[in-house]
Amino acid sequence: MSISSLSLISAQRSTILRAQEQLRKAEVEVSSGRYADVGTTLGATTGHSVTLYAESTSIKAQLTSNTLVTQRLSSMQDVLGTLSSSAQDLVNALIQAGGDKTTADTIATQAKAALEQMSGALNTTVNGIALFSGTNTDTSPIDTSAAAKTALADNATDALDTWRANKLDADPANDDFQAILAANFDTVWRGNVSSANDATVENRITPSETITVSSSANSDGFQRLARAYSMLSTLATDTTLSTDERSTLYKTAINELNAGQQAVTSLQTDIGLRQDRVDSANTRLQSKQTVIKASISSLEDVDPYEASTRVTMLTTQLEAAYSMTSQLKDLSLLNYL
């Protein structure tokens, strides 16, 4: 039986093509560290790998979402810290002033500035989401218009008038300025100043755990601060106030500011606990992600030494095949005639 040089060259060409494909895959595996064709290599266990990748993607998305939650909670803490500091500054100024009317302009100016600062702080947004609007997250909660400011000023003026009238009646039950000031404030606040609601926004921080990521500008603590600020900015410079009346107004403001601060501090503590929960959730998610990556690696990673050895072997085989092919192409009957 005779074998032509053409058939030998054709067979050698097929060998070269197979070796080239094997070398390509081996080089991919060396550079990537994983099988070149995972599906073919894993066979029936490919489904398990797909499941692990899906779970890994889900964890990445959750961690990204948790980053946004952390940003919101951190911004809320910053706002609350600012509000607490401003309230304390005004308390200190009131204590130092006593009932002295000579500092009235300073007190009124400081109260007005604190109210404006509070309005801006409660309108804080993160990535376009309002932090203190309840579930009305697409709208800043505090109306800073002249009409809103007038509504607050009118509440303070009406409270003073009612208090003075009640004192004339000599009825101690109706002679509590702080109670009179607060009586209609919630209605005025919600109707003229705040568009927030009292509902909460919940965000999922793990597949089985949610957390509150909002607050409401309608909360009692914020209203107490606003009540004190608006009252002082409106009435502190009233020249008709007697020394006793001014002293009562200042004491009322101090009580409201202290109560507001306590509420703000309580909210800060609550948000701090939420931040701890997010941190804990992230730690668990990251640990789970590490386990998943290890599982994927055990399924798909190649032995780098074995892959490199295979590249060297296939390269040698190809070089030998190229050499043989070249020699076969030089064969000719004419060389023997």
Side-chain angles (χ1 to χ4, degrees):
M1 182 174 65
S2 63
I3 301 176
S4 69
S5 61
L6 177 60
S7 63
L8 290 173
I9 292 174
S10 297
Q12 196 64 26
R13 183 180 296 114
S14 297
T15 299
I16 290 173
L17 291 174
R18 284 195 301 272
Q20 286 176 332
E21 178 62 18
Q22 291 172 354
L23 179 59
R24 183 192 66 78
K25 290 183 178 179
E27 288 175 337
V28 168
E29 291 177 354
V30 168
S31 62
S32 68
R34 61 194 295 265
Y35 294 122
D37 189 339
V38 173
T40 300
T41 304
L42 296 183
T45 60
T46 300
H48 181 45
S49 178
V50 171
T51 299
L52 290 173
Y53 271 110
E55 193 169 358
S56 176
T57 299
S58 177
I59 290 176
K60 288 179 183 178
Q62 185 64 75
L63 288 170
T64 298
S65 175
N66 287 0
T67 297
L68 299 178
V69 169
T70 298
Q71 290 176 355
R72 294 186 66 177
L73 295 178
S74 178
S75 295
M76 291 171 71
Q77 288 283 35
D78 291 341
V79 167
L80 296 175
T82 298
L83 295 184
S84 181
S85 178
S86 295
Q88 187 58 54
D89 288 343
L90 187 52
V91 167
N92 294 340
L94 289 168
I95 293 174
Q96 184 175 359
D100 186 0
K101 65 179 181 180
T102 62
T103 60
D105 287 340
T106 301
I107 293 294
T109 298
Q110 188 172 345
K112 181 180 179 180
L115 181 59
E116 291 178 351
Q117 181 190 52
M118 176 180 171
S119 298
L122 292 180
N123 283 338
T124 297
T125 62
V126 173
N127 297 318
I129 303 297
L131 300 180
F132 297 93
S133 290
T135 56
N136 294 334
T137 55
D138 59 341
T139 305
S140 295
I142 303 302
D143 184 351
T144 58
S145 68
K149 295 174 182 177
T150 297
L152 293 175
D154 287 347
N155 181 76
T157 302
D158 291 345
L160 178 61
D161 291 341
T162 300
W163 179 52
R164 283 173 166 171
N166 289 351
K167 284 197 299 180
L168 293 176
D169 294 338
D171 183 357
N174 297 320
D175 192 20
D176 184 345
F177 178 70
Q178 187 169 350
I180 295 171
L181 182 66
N184 297 318
F185 191 84
D186 184 70
T187 300
V188 172
W189 181 259
R190 293 174 185 266
N192 299 275
V193 181
S194 172
S195 61
N197 60 34
D198 298 331
T200 58
V201 177
E202 302 291 321
N203 267 37
R204 191 169 297 281
I205 57 174
T206 70
S208 60
E209 187 177 5
T210 59
I211 198 170
T212 301
V213 293
S214 69
S215 186
S216 174
N218 297 332
S219 69
D220 182 64
F222 297 142
Q223 288 199 37
R224 283 180 177 272
L225 295 179
R227 207 149 54 223
Y229 294 150
S230 59
M231 183 268 288
L232 288 173
S233 61
T234 303
L235 302 180
T237 55
D238 188 337
T239 57
T240 67
L241 291 175
S242 67
T243 300
D244 287 343
E245 285 178 333
R246 184 178 303 280
S247 178
T248 297
L249 263 60
Y250 283 11
K251 288 178 181 178
T252 295
I254 291 172
N255 290 339
E256 292 284 22
L257 291 170
N258 284 336
Q261 272 190 289
Q262 289 176 4
V264 167
T265 299
S266 177
L267 182 54
Q268 285 180 295
T269 300
D270 180 60
I271 292 175
L273 293 174
R274 296 183 218 169
Q275 290 174 307
D276 289 343
R277 287 178 59 196
V278 176
D279 290 342
S280 178
N282 285 343
T283 298
R284 296 196 304 273
L285 288 169
Q286 289 162 354
S287 296
K288 189 173 184 180
Q289 184 77 296
T290 299
V291 172
I292 289 174
K293 287 182 177 180
S295 297
I296 293 174
S297 178
S298 67
L299 289 172
E300 299 185 358
D301 286 2
V302 297
D303 181 342
Y305 176 78
E306 186 276 334
S308 296
T309 300
R310 193 150 29 95
V311 167
T312 300
M313 180 187 69
L314 289 169
T315 300
T316 301
Q317 289 179 357
L318 273 173
E319 290 173 351
Y322 290 147
S323 176
M324 183 175 294
T325 300
S326 177
Q327 293 175 18
L328 288 172
K329 289 169 64 177
D330 289 339
L331 289 178
S332 171
L333 182 60
L334 295 176
N335 294 334
Y336 300 95
L337 293 179

